[in-house]
């Protein structure tokens, strides 16, 4: 897992944010966060995806019933062109960071029944809600938190 952090006085990255040399790598930015009071690992941060996706297997493990889903008529197209229908959508609290640099926002997730190496995909929608920026080079996600200036 890689770090989630915040920077006071504006959001940016510097060489000080590098923990290890990043000469050559193409790792995905994968984080852990709290969703609806559950610690969820393997959250892919992907700014190319417009929606926030919750994979059904992880959804079930959290004990959330399908009855809590709001029906939605949305199809998603996967990498190989396959179409996956969303089972529904649900709005849950997503918390990033740790005290005192922690932020919680309500995020609308599309729940899909599809196999994935990840439990959740955090897309552009939640990145926008959190005013977050990501750096695959630094392997970090930065966002403003209460009490910290966002320039």
């Amino acid at each position: 897992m890689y770090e989630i952090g915040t920077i006071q006085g504006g959001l940016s990255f510097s060489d000080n944010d590098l923990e290890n040399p990043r000469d050559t790598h193409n790792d995905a930015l994968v984080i852990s966060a709290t969703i609806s009071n559950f610690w969820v690992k393997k959250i892919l941060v992907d700014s190319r995806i417009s929606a926030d996706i919750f994979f059904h297997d992880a959804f079930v493990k959290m004990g959330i019933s399908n009855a809590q889903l709001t029906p939605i008529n949305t199809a998603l197209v996967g990498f190989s062109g396959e179409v996956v229908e969303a089972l529904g959508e649900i709005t849950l609290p997503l918390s990033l960071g740790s005290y005192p640099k922690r932020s919680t926002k309500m995020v609308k997730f599309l729940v899909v029944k599809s196999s994935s190496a990840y439990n959740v995909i955090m897309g552009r929608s939640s990145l926008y809600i959190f005013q977050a920026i990501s750096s695959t080079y630094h392997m970090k996600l930065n966002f403003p938190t209460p009490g910290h200036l966002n320039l």
Side-chain angles (χ1 to χ4, degrees):
M1 286 304 130
Y2 297 101
E3 181 175 334
I4 300 175
T6 60
I7 297 175
Q8 186 172 357
L11 300 178
S12 63
F13 297 96
S14 72
D15 287 344
N16 293 334
D17 292 311
L18 290 172
E19 292 181 18
N20 301 312
R22 296 280 177 207
D23 294 334
T24 58
H25 75 86
N26 61 354
D27 296 339
L29 180 55
V30 180
I31 63 171
S32 297
T34 304
I35 301 176
S36 194
N37 294 322
F38 287 90
W39 184 246
V40 179
K41 297 178 181 180
K42 297 192 297 185
I43 299 173
L44 174 66
V45 178
D46 191 340
S47 62
R48 298 168 299 164
I49 297 174
S50 60
D52 297 303
I53 308 296
F54 212 120
F55 290 95
H56 189 256
D57 288 347
F59 185 77
V60 169
K61 286 179 184 175
M62 289 176 60
I64 302 173
S65 166
N66 283 355
Q68 295 178 336
L69 294 173
T70 301
I72 187 168
N73 190 10
T74 299
L76 304 171
V77 179
F79 295 114
S80 61
E82 77 278 7
V83 176
V84 177
E85 292 290 329
L87 297 175
E89 66 182 8
I90 190 166
T91 302
L92 298 170
L94 170 62
S95 298
L96 300 176
S98 56
Y99 182 81
K101 296 179 180 179
R102 183 176 180 93
S103 184
T104 301
K105 308 283 184 189
M106 297 303 290
V107 174
K108 188 182 295 184
F109 293 96
L110 294 179
V111 178
V112 298
K113 198 168 195 174
S114 178
S115 61
S116 174
Y118 306 103
N119 293 314
V120 171
I121 299 177
M122 187 174 164
R124 283 193 312 266
S125 179
S126 56
L127 292 173
Y128 177 83
I129 291 168
F130 280 94
Q131 300 175 21
I133 58 171
S134 62
S135 171
T136 54
Y137 180 75
H138 295 92
M139 298 309 290
K140 292 193 180 196
L141 178 69
N142 286 334
F143 53 91
T145 59
H148 292 89
L149 187 60
N150 179 19
L151 298 176

